[in-house]
Amino acid sequence: MADSSFDIVSKVERQEVDNALNQTAKEISQRYDFKGVGASISWSGEKILMEANSEDRVKAVLDVFQSKLIKRGISLKALDAGEPQLSGKEYKIFASIEEGISQENAKKVAKIIRDEGPKGVKAQVQGDELRVSSKSRDDLQAVIALLKGKDFDFALQFVNYR
């Protein structure tokens, strides 16, 4: 019998982030509490730029954006937002979307699978993802349940289950 396997990845659908950003921009343009504060949100290269004329307003823009991401099923662990910075008369927050599992995080996950997971389950780091394989599909289900129970500081998805 061939081994069953699945991949552990940390990916974000760019189109969903773009939709959340557009919804946030629309809400900012329509809401009364954002009138006259110069609030805006937009892509700035690979980063997301939020601007407003006060620190509280720019944090409110970030809050609206986070709520839109949650509604679209994107984990906030994938969003890396900086602190508000004063730039001239404007406050700005730069945020980026983190994708891929770093080498040290992949090793951390592999160690948890080795130490706490069922015997006979193998985990291999493959670039920015982790391949988990076993002869038993039940063992793979147990590994998924184990990892869902852990609290990592990065988002995990389980794909290519076969």
Side-chain angles (χ1 to χ4, degrees):
M1 189 171 109
D3 279 4
S4 298
S5 68
F6 69 89
D7 294 332
I8 301 172
V9 297
S10 182
K11 292 199 181 341
V12 175
E13 208 169 310
R14 175 112 176 157
Q15 185 60 49
E16 289 297 331
V17 175
D18 205 35
N19 290 343
L21 187 131
N22 291 335
Q23 285 179 332
T24 304
K26 186 174 181 180
E27 185 170 321
I28 289 168
S29 70
Q30 293 174 344
R31 266 180 47 180
Y32 177 76
D33 58 335
F34 286 114
K35 293 277 188 249
V37 296
S40 68
I41 183 168
S42 61
W43 285 103
S44 174
E46 283 297 304
K47 293 192 179 282
I48 297 163
L49 171 64
M50 292 162 263
E51 297 178 293
N53 66 3
S54 76
E55 190 173 344
D56 290 342
R57 288 293 94 201
V58 79
K59 284 182 179 176
V61 172
L62 176 61
D63 191 47
V64 171
F65 183 55
Q66 288 174 335
S67 71
K68 298 298 181 192
L69 287 174
I70 290 169
K71 283 182 183 167
R72 296 208 149 269
I74 297 171
S75 171
L76 291 183
K77 292 178 181 178
L79 181 71
D80 182 25
E83 289 299 310
Q85 301 166 342
L86 184 61
S87 173
K89 292 183 178 179
E90 295 274 307
Y91 280 89
K92 296 181 179 186
I93 294 180
F94 284 99
S96 60
I97 302 295
E98 301 289 322
E99 286 196 299
I101 302 174
S102 68
Q103 287 293 325
E104 68 260 8
N105 286 340
K107 287 178 183 170
K108 228 186 282 181
V109 173
K111 181 171 177 14
I112 288 172
I113 292 170
R114 267 196 318 277
D115 295 347
E116 300 176 31
K119 299 287 178 246
V121 176
K122 297 186 283 295
Q124 313 165 299
V125 178
Q126 296 181 336
D128 62 350
E129 56 186 46
L130 195 67
R131 165 80 40 94
V132 180
S133 57
S134 172
K135 293 217 181 291
S136 163
R137 286 180 169 242
D138 292 342
D139 288 349
L140 294 180
Q141 292 287 351
V143 168
I144 290 174
L146 169 76
L147 294 176
K148 282 186 176 177
K150 299 285 181 191
D151 186 33
F152 295 105
D153 55 350
F154 51 96
L156 291 180
Q157 290 90 33
F158 307 100
V159 296
N160 296 337
Y161 185 80
R162 52 178 173 263

